[in-house]
Amino acid sequence: MDASIRKRVIYLAKLAVEHFNVGDWQALGAYTGQLDLISNHDRLLRSLSFGDADYSGHAHAVIFRIVEFDRDNLQIIEDYIAENYGVGGVSISTAPTHQAPITFAPSVFEIPKGQTEADLVAVMSPFSAPFEMVFQSIQSAATATGLRCLRAKDIWEHSSVIQDVFSLIYKAQIVVCDFTGKNPNVFYEAGIAHTLGKHVVPITQNSSDIPFDLQHHRYLSYLNNSEGRASLENELQRRFGALK
């Protein structure tokens, strides 16, 4: 269990200590396939009922065991707390940081199952023919550095396109955003990526297309011809290598 998962588990255990009653523990046990663990625990429900000082420690230990049994149970716990108590959410910052994590419980998106995939590069660009060869260059740069590259248009897991977009950004380690043409969808997707703490690599054919709020970030400028795309591929290889 990596550090980010442990932080999420500890956070959820604290919420459980604050809010749960006996029925909540039993319901959570049923949802996660760990009802026997809850019912047969020699101290958890007893210490809750009597207000014993060791309740918090038992609650933390049980939440950890539930998640260790099946990593998908982490999402079940988060959903249960959010739905029943209107608190919780998921720790969303995936970038290395010493700051406190941000939590959220989004109403527009569903939180995807699974964690960040260290070899995944997500590409956010306009959906039009002139960008197909640009994507091929990005894909080649990713492959050369041992990474794989996907666009939302290459997957269809949900009926809503924006859910596929969010899921792809959520799972990616690196997000390439092509701001050429000031595409509003790309602006929106870049905002999601920054909020999720992803490594965002801005690229553009025209520096004036970079939004004012992002002009202080470094970006890669390229020409959409064979020489320009080759240069972009080389620059991306170096950038991807540094971010791996």
Side-chain angles (χ1 to χ4, degrees):
M1 187 181 297
D2 63 31
S4 64
I5 297 296
R6 287 196 298 273
K7 286 181 180 179
R8 291 168 68 186
V9 175
I10 291 170
Y11 173 69
L12 292 171
K14 289 180 178 178
L15 293 176
V17 170
E18 181 179 351
H19 296 284
F20 275 17
N21 56 35
V22 171
D24 287 316
W25 282 111
Q26 292 173 336
L28 192 66
Y31 286 137
T32 60
Q34 291 292 283
L35 184 57
D36 286 345
L37 171 63
I38 303 297
S39 300
N40 298 330
H41 195 283
D42 60 349
R43 290 292 300 164
L44 176 68
L45 299 184
R46 177 182 172 83
S47 63
L48 169 60
S49 298
F50 286 92
D52 293 340
D54 62 353
Y55 170 60
S56 178
H58 294 305
H60 279 71
V62 167
I63 293 289
F64 265 94
R65 286 183 63 182
I66 290 174
V67 175
E68 288 172 346
F69 174 77
D70 186 342
R71 189 60 57 81
D72 288 344
N73 283 339
L74 180 59
Q75 189 63 55
I76 293 174
I77 298 169
E78 289 175 338
D79 290 344
Y80 182 87
I81 292 175
E83 290 170 6
N84 288 277
Y85 293 100
V87 295
V90 57
S91 173
I92 62 172
S93 179
T94 58
T97 179
H98 297 295
Q99 299 177 355
I102 300 172
T103 62
F104 77 145
S107 58
V108 177
F109 310 113
E110 295 178 6
I111 304 299
K113 292 184 178 180
Q115 301 303 309
T116 298
E117 298 174 15
D119 66 337
L120 180 58
V121 176
V123 178
M124 303 295 139
S125 67
F127 290 170
S128 59
F131 292 92
E132 288 299 315
M133 296 188 73
V134 178
F135 174 72
Q136 292 174 17
S137 296
I138 300 170
Q139 193 171 43
S140 296
T143 301
T145 49
L147 303 173
R148 56 195 179 90
C149 197
L150 286 175
R151 298 170 294 184
K153 67 181 294 184
D154 297 323
I155 57 177
W156 189 353
E157 297 178 354
H158 301 86
S159 58
S160 169
V161 173
I162 192 58
Q163 180 61 47
D164 279 334
V165 170
F166 179 80
S167 297
L168 178 57
I169 296 172
Y170 182 91
K171 293 177 181 179
Q173 179 79 359
I174 300 170
V175 180
V176 177
C177 293
D178 194 332
F179 290 115
T180 302
K182 298 182 179 180
N183 186 282
N185 292 329
V186 177
F187 289 171
Y188 184 72
E189 292 151 1
I192 293 173
H194 277 130
T195 303
L196 292 176
K198 303 301 177 177
H199 296 298
V200 177
V201 180
I203 65 174
T204 184
Q205 296 173 32
N206 189 336
S207 59
S208 65
D209 288 343
I210 299 292
F212 174 79
D213 288 349
L214 297 180
Q215 287 179 0
H216 64 288
H217 290 275
R218 297 179 66 181
Y219 59 88
L220 299 178
S221 184
Y222 72 94
L223 296 175
N224 194 5
N225 56 35
S226 57
E227 184 178 350
R229 290 189 298 270
S231 177
L232 175 66
E233 182 177 333
N234 291 333
E235 291 290 336
L236 287 174
Q237 284 188 39
R238 286 194 285 271
R239 185 62 180 144
F240 291 163
L243 295 175
K244 284 181 62 178

